[in-house]
């Protein structure tokens, strides 16, 4: 593969050569203080998993404040600035069965009473190209921070983002630390999941208002190499209706030292202890979906499939606990070895029905089959019935505050109980109150 340092240099050179392709963001910089912005997100979160088949239940309840402060860029050919992200939290109740990546735990398994995390970053901008070094929340298909728990997952490193060509975004970066949502220390190596060095690159291009495409890559030292591609096309129809077609897929090669939990074929004698297969494993997972939207209603059909000798075991190697940009992803991600899955989803916007602006309901059913479970079976199954109701305040002093309630009813074959989630009834309740500081 292309040397990561050369790739980054190529992006910088290209940015310099074509910087006149469109108006410069840096030329419009107002100043370090003048363009500054800051916000706090107050989040109250509850997540409980009622386990079946004799497994232990888990439940977490906590309160967090998530801070995001950003300076503007100083004027000039090259602008400079700083940023701060962080969070402070405390548990609500005893949380004796804490888990679910919500609350950090002491060595004895008890939940922290209160905790805080975060870090700073520095940034520079030339023309329409920005480079940032420090603590960051990432939103890349191959390295995405988990934002679905109390507090975000943080990565530490450098990310370059370039918009020198209209409708094209290019990125390149290197990250050396990962702090998961329930971790206190950025250098924690839990069950061999610590990050040594991850190189990312890629880009997305908007051909027109209806067609978009993207590609991203990841090379994580001694862990894995991953590639992602996506094409999305929206076909306008009469009466403000539309059909949206989406194709996305990953190819992952896991190194011998990578941590996996669904490998088949040869595995090392100590695989049961550390999850390391001892030889390279590969996974290909792809999905295609079609969504029909008309007025307040939308219906999506999706099909997803895995091939290779391991499942898409993302998140096990500090590769981002949200790096699953695929449609069949709810509580289960339907990523078992050789698994095929199909989904039907329905969404309604009650505001467009004239009932209650800001109220939205999503329901979905996903069924997965032909799962290979090591030394057990080649045809395990799983299924999930998902429902989520979300209300967002549209105006007034509480504008943009939201309440989200979701439930998953999950069941799997007996042979798949110990290999993955296991039969579970899950509830998640999140109250988010954003406050703009400046």
């Amino acid at each position: 593969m292309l040397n990561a340092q050369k790739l980054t240099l190529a992006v910088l050179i290209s940015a310099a050569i074509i910087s006149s392709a469109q108006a410069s963001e840096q030329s419009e910089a107002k100043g370090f203080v003048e363009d500054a912005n800051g916000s706090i997100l107050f989040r109250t979160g509850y997540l409980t998993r009622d386990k079946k088949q004799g497994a232990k239940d888990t439940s977490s309840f906590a309160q967090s404040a998530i801070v995001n402060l950003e300076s503007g860029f100083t004027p000039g050919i090259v602008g400079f600035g700083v940023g701060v992200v962080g969070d402070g939290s405390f548990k609500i109740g005893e949380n004796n069965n804490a888990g679910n990546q919500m609350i950090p735990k002491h060595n004895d398994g008890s939940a922290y009473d209160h905790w805080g995390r975060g870090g700073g970053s520095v940034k520079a901008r030339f023309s329409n190209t920005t480079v940032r070094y420090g603590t960051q929340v990432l939103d890349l298909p191959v390295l995405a921070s988990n934002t679905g728990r109390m507090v975000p997952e943080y990565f530490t490193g450098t990310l370059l983002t370039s918009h020198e060509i209209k409708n094209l975004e290019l990125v390149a970066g290197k990250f050396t630390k990962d702090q998961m949502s329930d971790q206190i220390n950025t250098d924690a190596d839990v069950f061999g999941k610590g990050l040594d060095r991850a190189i990312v690159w890629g880009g997305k291009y908007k051909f027109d208002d209806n067609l978009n495409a993207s590609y991203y890559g990841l090379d994580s030292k001694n862990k894995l190499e991953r590639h992602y591609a996506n094409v999305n096309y929206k076909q306008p129809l009469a009466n403000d209706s539309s059909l949206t077609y989406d194709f996305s897929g990953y190819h992952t090669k896991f190194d011998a030292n990578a941590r996996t939990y669904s490998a088949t074929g040869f595995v090392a004698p100590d695989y049961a202890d550390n999850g390391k297969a001892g030889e390279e494993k590969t996974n290909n997972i792809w999905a295609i979906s079609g969504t029909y939207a008309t007025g307040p209603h939308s219906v999506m059909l999706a099909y997803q499939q895995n091939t290779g000798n391991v499942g898409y075991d993302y998140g096990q190697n500090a590769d981002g606990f949200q790096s699953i940009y695929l449609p069949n992803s709810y509580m289960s991600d339907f990523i078992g070895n050789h698994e095929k899955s199909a989904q039907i989803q329905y969404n309604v916007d009650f505001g467009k029905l004239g009932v209650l602006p800001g109220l939205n309901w999503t329901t979905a059913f996903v069924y997965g089959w032909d799962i290979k479970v090591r030394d057990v079976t080649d045809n395990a199954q799983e299924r999930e019935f998902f429902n989520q109701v979300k209300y967002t305040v549209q105006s007034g002093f509480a504008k943009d505050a939201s309440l989200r309630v979701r439930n998953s009813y999950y069941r799997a074959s007996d042979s798949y109980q110990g290999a993955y989630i296991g039969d579970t009834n899950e509830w998640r309740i999140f109250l988010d109150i954003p406050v703009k500081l400046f």
Side-chain angles (χ1 to χ4, degrees), residues 72-298:
F73 288 93
T74 58
I77 296 177
V78 179
F80 298 94
V82 297
V84 174
V85 291
D87 52 75
S89 310
F90 60 86
K91 69 178 185 180
I92 301 175
E94 290 300 319
N95 284 270
N96 291 327
N97 299 313
N100 309 320
Q101 300 173 328
M102 290 274 285
I103 298 177
K105 296 187 290 185
H106 297 285
N107 292 334
D108 63 1
S110 62
Y112 271 72
D113 292 327
H114 49 80
W115 62 98
R117 315 171 321 139
S121 62
V122 293
K123 57 185 180 179
R125 184 171 66 186
F126 168 72
S127 184
N128 296 313
T129 298
T130 300
V131 60
R132 180 189 295 269
Y133 171 76
T135 303
Q136 306 179 48
V137 178
L138 298 182
D139 184 17
L140 302 172
V142 292
L143 199 62
S145 300
N146 183 358
T147 57
R149 296 297 193 268
M150 287 305 303
V151 292
E153 178 181 8
Y154 297 128
F155 287 91
T156 301
T158 303
L159 182 66
L160 180 146
T161 305
S162 177
H163 299 106
E164 299 297 344
I165 299 177
K166 185 178 180 180
N167 296 329
L168 174 65
E169 177 182 274
L170 297 174
V171 299
K174 176 181 179 181
F175 295 89
T176 55
K177 290 183 179 180
D178 172 28
Q179 185 177 25
M180 289 178 277
S181 300
D182 58 347
Q183 283 184 329
I184 299 297
N185 300 317
T186 58
D187 58 352
D189 190 352
V190 182
F191 302 117
K193 298 180 185 179
L195 181 63
D196 186 332
R197 180 220 63 199
I199 304 295
V200 296
W201 64 93
K204 57 184 177 182
Y205 185 69
K206 179 179 179 181
F207 292 90
D208 55 39
D209 289 341
N210 300 317
L211 179 62
N212 302 272
S214 62
Y215 161 77
Y216 293 89
L218 165 70
D219 181 13
S220 185
K221 183 179 178 181
N222 296 327
K223 299 293 186 179
L224 57 87
E225 179 182 318
R226 175 167 293 151
H227 304 271
Y228 167 87
N230 172 262
V231 178
N232 182 280
Y233 175 68
K234 182 177 181 179
Q235 178 185 0
L237 302 175
N239 301 319
D240 291 328
S241 300
S242 66
L243 268 173
T244 300
Y245 312 93
D246 188 271
F247 171 83
S248 53
Y250 290 90
H251 167 71
T252 306
K253 182 173 72 175
F254 293 94
D255 291 354
N257 290 323
R259 189 172 188 272
T260 63
Y261 58 83
S262 60
T264 54
F266 170 83
V267 294
D270 58 352
Y271 173 71
D273 298 324
N274 57 32
K276 298 179 180 180
E279 73 171 21
E280 291 184 352
K281 299 290 183 179
T282 61
N283 170 270
N284 297 298
I285 182 170
W286 59 271
I288 187 168
S289 66
T291 303
Y292 174 68
T294 178
H297 310 282
S298 68

Side-chain angles (χ1 to χ4, degrees), residues 228-375:
Y228 167 87
N230 172 262
V231 178
N232 182 280
Y233 175 68
K234 182 177 181 179
Q235 178 185 0
L237 302 175
N239 301 319
D240 291 328
S241 300
S242 66
L243 268 173
T244 300
Y245 312 93
D246 188 271
F247 171 83
S248 53
Y250 290 90
H251 167 71
T252 306
K253 182 173 72 175
F254 293 94
D255 291 354
N257 290 323
R259 189 172 188 272
T260 63
Y261 58 83
S262 60
T264 54
F266 170 83
V267 294
D270 58 352
Y271 173 71
D273 298 324
N274 57 32
K276 298 179 180 180
E279 73 171 21
E280 291 184 352
K281 299 290 183 179
T282 61
N283 170 270
N284 297 298
I285 182 170
W286 59 271
I288 187 168
S289 66
T291 303
Y292 174 68
T294 178
H297 310 282
S298 68
V299 177
M300 179 180 73
L301 298 175
Y303 176 79
Q304 185 170 299
Q305 182 171 326
N306 288 262
T307 58
N309 50 14
V310 69
Y312 180 66
D313 296 342
Y314 78 101
Q316 298 302 304
N317 299 283
D319 50 337
F321 268 81
Q322 207 159 289
S323 304
I324 176 83
Y325 285 41
L326 295 170
N328 293 1
S329 178
Y330 294 99
M331 186 180 75
S332 174
D333 298 302
F334 296 85
I335 54 176
N337 193 1
H338 269 260
E339 180 173 9
K340 307 173 182 70
S341 60
Q343 174 191 179
I344 181 169
Q345 180 201 88
Y346 170 70
N347 179 271
V348 59
D349 183 342
F350 287 95
K352 292 182 179 179
L353 286 174
V355 177
L356 183 60
L359 182 63
N360 188 280
W361 172 47
T362 300
T363 184
F365 178 75
V366 191
Y367 177 70
W369 67 96
D370 283 353
I371 307 169
K372 285 189 175 184
V373 182
R374 178 171 173 75
D375 297 330

